[in-house]
Amino acid sequence: MAATVGRICGARLLKNYGLVTPQVLKITVCQLSTSTHGWTRNRKLLLSTLGVVGGGVGALLFALEQSVQASEGEAHPAHQPWSHNGWFQSLDHASIRRGYEVYKQVCKACHSLQYIAFRNLVGVTHSEEAAKAEAAEVMIRDGPDEQGNYFERPGKLSDYFPSPYPNENAARAANNGAYPPDLSLICSGRKGGEDYIFALLTGYMDAPAGVILREGQNYNPYFPGGAISMAQVLFNEAAEYSDGTPATASQLAKDVATFLRWCSEPELDDRRLMTIKVIGMFSMLAAIVYYFKRHKWTTMKSRKLAYKPVSKK
């Protein structure tokens, strides 16, 4: 195509129409010609080889990861039909509130939520007044005062959930040497997220033959190694719901897993709502841009080029 246009320009067939000069068009055609700036055979072969090798290495790494996961000792949690699955599904706020009640009555004795403040509960699980009342039930160590002494005061909305232990050594001493992890980001920090939390809380069983547990340890197939220092804490009626929901063990595990999912991403609902707004806005912009493009280029696409041979005279 480029060579044909070049020959037309060389024959001066377009000179009388005042479109462009043959010299300028010929230079432009030569710059765009694939025969001038095309890739060499060796370069094409090199890039093809790199692409094949890169794809093979990626497939090999994926296969190795899958084989390593299959050879691990712990069981893999099953995927549960969570109400917040999907790009446009929000968290169940009633379940988040019940999960907070489970954390408050069961989990709070050992685990902290150091990255969650009481103000985060406002508009999600509690009203502002209810969140203030929840914060006021907790005594926060503050200070120093004018005399340089530390003191305790009722909590405020700006305070974060306090740790049940003053330091890590105290936590280990109270839990047979094991350190209870902070639960603020536990769903994001564990493979499987809320599926792992639910399976772990409901997966306690007797240790199979050949598995030796030390004193104070329990067997859970979903925990790495199987031996976990945390005892089973969720049983039927282990906590009481304020809305009257039957507090079965599976219901407790489901609600606290949803609550911890929210703790890991408190902005999840806002981000998904923003996604819906962005999709709607960009859909309108795409339609406008498409119409403008059609309107702008319609004269170019509908033009007619006439051929007038040069007279031999």
Side-chain angles (χ1 to χ4, degrees):
M1 180 64 186
T4 303
V5 175
R7 288 195 297 269
I8 293 175
C9 295
R12 306 176 67 183
L13 298 179
L14 303 177
K15 180 178 180 181
N16 296 333
Y17 290 86
L19 299 178
V20 291
T21 61
Q23 291 79 9
V24 174
L25 186 57
K26 189 172 183 179
I27 294 174
T28 305
V29 170
C30 291
Q31 290 177 350
L32 298 177
S33 176
T34 56
S35 62
T36 303
H37 295 281
W39 287 352
T40 63
R41 182 175 180 276
N42 292 335
R43 187 177 181 183
K44 292 181 179 179
L45 181 61
L46 175 61
L47 293 178
S48 300
T49 304
L50 291 177
V52 172
V53 171
V57 171
L60 178 60
L61 292 177
F62 179 78
L64 289 176
E65 181 185 6
Q66 298 299 318
S67 63
V68 169
Q69 293 179 4
S71 63
E72 292 174 352
E74 69 271 12
H76 299 284
H79 182 66
Q80 304 296 332
W82 302 98
S83 60
H84 53 268
N85 285 340
W87 289 2
F88 308 113
Q89 302 297 326
S90 64
L91 291 166
D92 183 357
H93 285 226
S95 181
I96 296 176
R97 181 183 176 93
R98 293 194 299 267
Y100 169 74
E101 294 176 350
V102 177
Y103 168 79
K104 181 180 178 181
Q105 300 177 39
V106 180
C107 310
K108 184 180 178 181
C110 299
H111 296 276
S112 61
L113 285 175
Q114 60 177 341
Y115 298 115
I116 300 297
F118 288 98
R119 64 172 178 267
N120 297 127
L121 301 177
V122 177
V124 179
T125 60
H126 297 73
S127 63
E128 183 175 352
E129 295 301 324
K132 287 182 179 179
E134 290 289 327
E137 296 178 0
V138 180
M139 299 303 295
I140 303 297
R141 188 171 183 266
D142 203 350
D145 55 14
E146 296 179 354
Q147 287 75 32
N149 299 321
Y150 287 88
F151 59 93
E152 290 189 346
R153 59 167 177 80
K156 301 181 295 185
L157 286 180
S158 58
D159 293 322
Y160 288 81
F161 282 79
S163 174
Y165 304 104
N167 50 63
E168 181 178 344
N169 290 337
R172 292 186 181 277
N175 292 276
N176 198 25
Y179 181 57
D182 180 80
L183 299 182
S184 302
L185 303 174
I186 194 70
C187 274
S188 298
R190 296 293 187 273
K191 186 176 179 62
E194 55 269 44
D195 292 325
Y196 169 78
I197 301 299
F198 180 85
L200 183 72
L201 294 176
T202 58
Y204 285 87
M205 61 181 62
D206 295 333
V211 176
I212 301 176
L213 300 176
R214 294 183 298 178
E215 182 180 359
Q217 289 186 332
N218 303 272
Y219 182 76
N220 193 312
Y222 297 100
F223 190 77
I228 183 173
S229 296
M230 183 180 73
Q232 184 175 1
V233 294
L234 296 185
F235 303 92
N236 294 337
E237 306 299 331
E240 184 178 353
Y241 287 135
S242 60
D243 60 357
T245 301
T248 61
S250 58
Q251 182 69 47
L252 296 172
K254 178 256 184 183
D255 290 334
V256 76
T258 304
F259 171 71
L260 295 179
R261 178 71 169 88
W262 171 80
C263 290
S264 296
E265 294 181 272
E267 76 289 348
L268 180 63
D269 286 348
D270 294 334
R271 190 170 66 245
R272 290 181 174 177
L273 180 60
M274 182 63 66
T275 300
I276 298 175
K277 293 180 180 180
V278 167
I279 291 176
M281 180 176 61
F282 275 91
S283 298
M284 296 177 60
L285 290 177
I288 295 174
V289 169
Y290 179 74
Y291 173 80
F292 180 77
K293 176 258 181 187
R294 296 277 297 181
H295 176 74
K296 187 72 174 177
W297 288 88
T298 182
T299 56
M300 299 294 294
K301 290 188 174 183
S302 61
R303 66 180 178 173
K304 181 184 295 185
L305 296 178
Y307 171 73
K308 182 178 181 181
V310 178
S311 177
K312 296 182 179 180
K313 295 182 179 179

